[in-house]
Amino acid sequence: MDYEPFHYPNTFLLLLGYAKAYFHLPYRQTEEGIAQGHANGKVPSIPDYTTINRRINRLDIKINDTDSKNKDFEDEYIVIAIDSTGIKVTNRGQWMKDKWNVRKKGYLKIHIATVNVKSKKILSIKVTDEHVHDSKALPELVDDIIKSDNMTTLGKLFADGAYDNNDIFRCLSDNGILLPCIKVRKNAKVRLKKGHILRNLSVISQRNDLQKWKDSIVSYGQRWIVETVFSAIKRMFGEYVYSVRLKNMIQEMMLKASLYNKMISI
């Protein structure tokens, strides 16, 4: 069955989505302030706010451009930092919730893999609710990085203690990451039968001299690059999302991650 083609190209709607995310605008103000104010006379007609809403939430948003990948992966190997942060699902009524002990509405959990800590760019992102543990999202993040185009050898991977389990070390080993820089628990033990060899080596190295392991062996301080990315996104776009439905919240965060990558590439 043939449908009528779209009146507005995806690039135009993507531009409106970037403007909405950057200026923290509702859809009505996006139509009135951006579309009518700046595009009036340049396009045959102006989309209404419902069309902008519907089309933006249908876009296939890529957080990385194909042209920029070649520049990001010029090194022989890349260094990855992975972590997660929380995003509020609304910015309204917070005082009333705190005052009257109303049940919290929950929050989004943003799992991010920053590729090549030099560039601070996001290569992979996964949006879940607050019940998904950090370690459950790591395999998908790594898999997205492996499958990306023009990828060179993966070198180190930095992560905090939330990712300390044998399944994570096994996943990284299977994907060719032989230097997982993950801080293990203080009471971690070497398990010759059940423990993965990479985790056992990490436990031994950190138990002997944790500070030496951080400073000279793995340069663990580079993990804080992902915290810098979280701070930049929240200062740039806010600590909350406007969308109500979960799938639209995910689309909104993908839009913000894509715009963040474009802005730091300038």
Side-chain angles (χ1 to χ4, degrees):
M1 182 176 181
D2 296 332
Y3 295 94
E4 183 180 359
F6 286 133
H7 289 226
Y8 312 101
N10 288 336
T11 52
F12 178 59
L13 272 301
L14 182 61
L15 179 62
L16 293 180
Y18 285 154
K20 177 186 181 299
Y22 185 76
F23 294 107
H24 311 278
L25 298 175
Y27 283 105
R28 285 183 182 270
Q29 277 68 35
T30 303
E31 175 195 353
E32 296 171 1
I34 303 299
Q36 294 184 6
H38 296 276
N40 193 14
K42 300 177 182 178
V43 293
S45 60
I46 301 298
D48 58 83
Y49 71 95
T50 55
T51 301
I52 297 174
N53 180 3
R54 184 175 62 253
R55 289 287 306 278
I56 287 178
N57 288 316
R58 290 180 179 179
L59 292 175
D60 182 17
I61 299 174
K62 305 295 183 182
I63 62 174
N64 281 282
D65 295 330
T66 306
D67 296 337
S68 64
K69 289 181 179 180
N70 295 327
K71 299 178 182 179
D72 295 335
F73 304 143
E74 287 177 352
D75 298 335
E76 295 180 358
Y77 66 91
I78 60 175
V79 180
I80 307 169
I82 290 181
D83 205 352
S84 67
T85 189
I87 296 289
K88 291 187 290 185
V89 296
T90 180
N91 201 38
R92 302 183 299 274
Q94 187 64 40
W95 183 86
M96 294 294 292
K97 292 182 177 63
D98 296 337
K99 176 67 176 178
W100 303 108
N101 296 321
V102 180
R103 184 178 64 86
K104 295 182 178 180
K105 296 185 66 175
Y107 59 92
L108 291 180
K109 207 169 187 180
I110 313 301
H111 308 265
I112 282 181
T114 58
V115 174
N116 197 348
V117 295
K118 298 178 184 178
S119 66
K120 302 181 181 65
K121 295 190 67 174
I122 301 172
L123 183 66
S124 182
I125 181 173
K126 181 176 175 61
V127 183
T128 65
D129 59 24
E130 71 270 25
H131 302 295
V132 177
H133 194 269
D134 293 3
S135 60
K136 300 297 183 181
L138 184 141
E140 184 174 339
L141 292 174
V142 173
D143 188 59
D144 289 343
I145 297 172
I146 295 294
K147 291 180 179 179
S148 61
D149 298 331
N150 302 321
M151 176 58 64
T152 57
T153 305
L154 293 177
K156 298 179 181 179
L157 181 141
F158 293 98
D160 58 20
Y163 300 88
D164 174 31
N165 65 61
N166 285 297
D167 292 336
I168 293 299
F169 281 89
R170 188 174 297 109
C171 171
L172 299 179
S173 176
D174 293 341
N175 285 286
I177 304 175
L178 302 180
L179 189 55
C181 307
I182 300 175
K183 185 179 179 181
V184 299
R185 301 179 182 89
K186 292 183 179 180
N187 60 348
K189 298 180 180 180
V190 176
R191 301 183 183 275
L192 297 178
K193 293 184 179 180
K194 296 183 179 180
H196 192 271
I197 184 172
L198 292 181
R199 185 176 186 273
N200 288 338
L201 291 174
S202 296
V203 172
I204 294 172
S205 178
Q206 295 179 43
R207 182 188 297 174
N208 291 337
D209 193 337
L210 178 59
Q211 194 60 42
K212 181 180 178 181
W213 176 83
K214 287 183 177 181
D215 295 339
S216 60
I217 299 179
V218 299
S219 301
Y220 189 70
Q222 295 183 73
R223 192 195 72 81
W224 286 97
I225 296 299
V226 70
E227 304 290 350
T228 304
V229 174
F230 288 145
S231 176
I233 290 176
K234 290 182 178 181
R235 285 184 286 111
M236 192 180 300
F237 304 113
E239 299 183 359
Y240 55 92
V241 291
Y242 279 100
S243 303
V244 177
R245 297 180 181 178
L246 178 60
K247 63 177 184 179
N248 294 349
M249 293 179 184
I250 296 174
Q251 188 78 342
E252 181 177 340
M253 289 308 306
M254 293 293 292
L255 192 69
K256 292 177 178 179
S258 174
L259 180 55
Y260 165 81
N261 276 350
K262 290 182 181 297
M263 294 184 71
I264 66 172
S265 299
I266 298 176

